[in-house]
Amino acid sequence: MKIQLLGTAGGDFRRVDDPEDKFGYLPRVRELGGKNLRCPAQAMIFPDILIDFYNGDQIDKFDIAPESIKHLLITHNHWDHLQPLRILEFAAALPHPLQIYGSHNVIEAIKFANTYDFDRSSGRFIIRKKQTDVEYYKLEPAQSYEIGGTTVDPVHGNHCMDKSDNMIMQDVCLNYVFERDGKTIFYGMDSSYTLPLTFEYLRKFRIDVAVMDMTFGRWPIDVDKSGHHNLDMLIETIEEFREAGIFHEETTILVSHISLAFVEPHDDLKDELSKMGIILAYDGQEIEV
Ligand SMILES: [Zn+2]
Ligand SMILES: [Zn+2]
């Protein structure tokens, strides 16, 4: 099984040209270029599964044949992972109906965008003239699905949460476990500390490759306000997964969904993480398992 990380950025990737840079990382990111530049988080599980869709730029950049993409899995309804109009545009150019998978909210959002246009002059939604031929599948966490030749188990990620005061879950963010030919890949984006029932469900897997959320690197975050890990939190999660046998000796651990403004550029951080057994991902990185 092979995964390619087409994009590895957190939601602040558009700040790369921001002159108001708090930490001073952005000028260095611009200067270094290459692996230090990041586009929105997106990944390909070969041969036919794409995860998340901000736009199709990275699909072109890394020479993925669009017609090879049969299944689109969406993690959650944040704009850097889900752009319904761009998905429909991409699907309309395919020779087959794109099969789209996600939470109830994600599927309803894409259906809505396929049903209505917003008419700015009247301020009303109007029925779209032409709908794109796609197929929708609502996923539930902690269940197994056969998607193409791959077994896919979505699990509930700790994200899209308005936490302590309001306790409102805004979407069932889905992290995904992929299994094929006896190998297992975990795509844990976006997520903060693992939810207890997700942790219990994950115990049945021995993950070979894990792509984990390390959005804030060494920045001390307020866990109440954030649906992500920083490095210290991630280390706790990795320990928990190791103790439970979810990660084993040989598990390859990559970190992605990296903030450009809060985290050192790739070239400056990768060696330090590598000493901890963590690989700092970059756009285009391929991992075969
Ligand atoms: Zn995100
Ligand atoms: Zn998000």
Side-chain angles (χ1 to χ4, degrees):
M1 190 155 47
K2 185 168 90 171
I3 180 169
Q4 184 174 21
L5 303 173
L6 306 183
T8 58
D12 68 347
F13 62 93
R14 290 193 295 204
R15 282 179 61 183
V16 71
D17 296 319
D18 188 351
E20 304 286 315
D21 175 21
K22 190 168 165 187
F23 302 96
Y25 297 142
L26 297 176
R28 183 140 169 86
V29 164
R30 291 193 289 270
E31 175 200 320
L32 291 167
K35 291 177 181 172
N36 303 280
L37 293 168
R38 298 180 187 277
C39 287
Q42 186 179 44
M44 186 76 198
I45 303 281
F46 290 94
D48 53 6
I49 296 176
L50 180 67
I51 310 170
D52 284 345
F53 203 102
Y54 171 73
N55 64 28
D57 289 0
Q58 301 297 91
I59 295 167
D60 292 345
K61 182 173 174 187
F62 297 114
D63 290 326
I64 312 278
E67 62 276 13
S68 70
I69 298 168
K70 306 264 172 23
H71 313 281
L72 173 65
L73 273 60
I74 300 291
T75 55
H76 63 291
N77 67 1
H78 285 163
W79 62 275
D80 54 322
H81 300 258
L82 170 67
Q83 285 290 334
L85 293 177
R86 286 167 177 166
I87 290 169
L88 294 170
E89 205 177 271
F90 174 76
L94 292 177
H96 51 263
L98 182 64
Q99 309 203 334
I100 305 175
Y101 306 75
S103 70
H104 173 88
N105 283 3
V106 161
I107 295 303
E108 288 303 322
I110 301 170
K111 270 187 189 169
F112 188 88
N114 203 7
T115 306
Y116 294 106
D117 282 324
F118 183 63
D119 178 39
R120 283 173 203 274
S121 59
S122 66
R124 292 167 190 263
F125 286 104
I126 53 172
I127 302 279
R128 266 196 141 188
K129 286 196 185 72
K130 192 173 181 309
Q131 298 206 348
T132 304
D133 186 17
V134 292
E135 291 168 15
Y136 302 105
Y137 301 90
K138 287 183 187 175
L139 300 179
E140 294 292 335
Q143 287 192 30
S144 256
Y145 299 87
E146 290 302 317
I147 297 181
T150 308
T151 306
V152 180
D153 287 51
V155 291
H156 192 176
N158 178 358
H159 191 68
C160 302
M161 287 294 304
D162 182 347
K163 292 183 190 164
S164 53
D165 288 344
N166 297 325
M167 199 61 182
I168 301 170
M169 183 184 68
Q170 292 154 336
D171 188 18
V172 181
C173 176
L174 297 176
N175 295 168
Y176 289 102
V177 182
F178 300 94
E179 281 183 292
R180 201 174 49 232
D181 305 327
K183 299 293 182 186
T184 307
I185 295 175
F186 177 59
Y187 192 78
M189 244 130 14
D190 293 356
S191 189
S192 177
Y193 288 134
T194 314
L195 293 170
L197 293 178
T198 295
F199 189 78
E200 287 311 308
Y201 190 78
L202 287 174
R203 279 180 190 276
K204 68 173 175 166
F205 298 102
R206 275 173 61 78
I207 308 289
D208 296 303
V209 173
V211 187
M212 307 295 284
D213 179 323
M214 195 201 68
T215 306
F216 288 103
R218 279 188 278 216
W219 183 246
I221 54 174
D222 179 353
V223 181
D224 192 347
K225 300 282 183 300
S226 173
H228 299 288
H229 285 116
N230 63 11
L231 179 57
D232 287 343
M233 295 164 69
L234 182 75
I235 289 168
E236 284 180 57
T237 297
I238 291 172
E239 268 315 300
E240 289 163 7
F241 279 32
R242 282 206 176 115
E243 271 171 34
I246 300 165
F247 287 174
H248 54 84
E249 298 275 288
E250 306 291 311
T251 303
T252 303
I253 302 167
L254 296 107
V255 289
S256 182
H257 202 270
I258 306 296
S259 158
L260 288 186
F262 284 84
V263 181
E264 297 94 313
H266 179 274
D267 293 0
D268 297 344
L269 185 60
K270 68 172 182 356
D271 292 341
E272 208 168 321
L273 289 185
S274 143
K275 286 181 205 145
M276 301 178 209
I278 296 170
I279 300 168
L280 180 58
Y282 57 85
D283 288 12
Q285 188 164 15
E286 293 176 81
I287 308 101
E288 195 125 23
V289 53

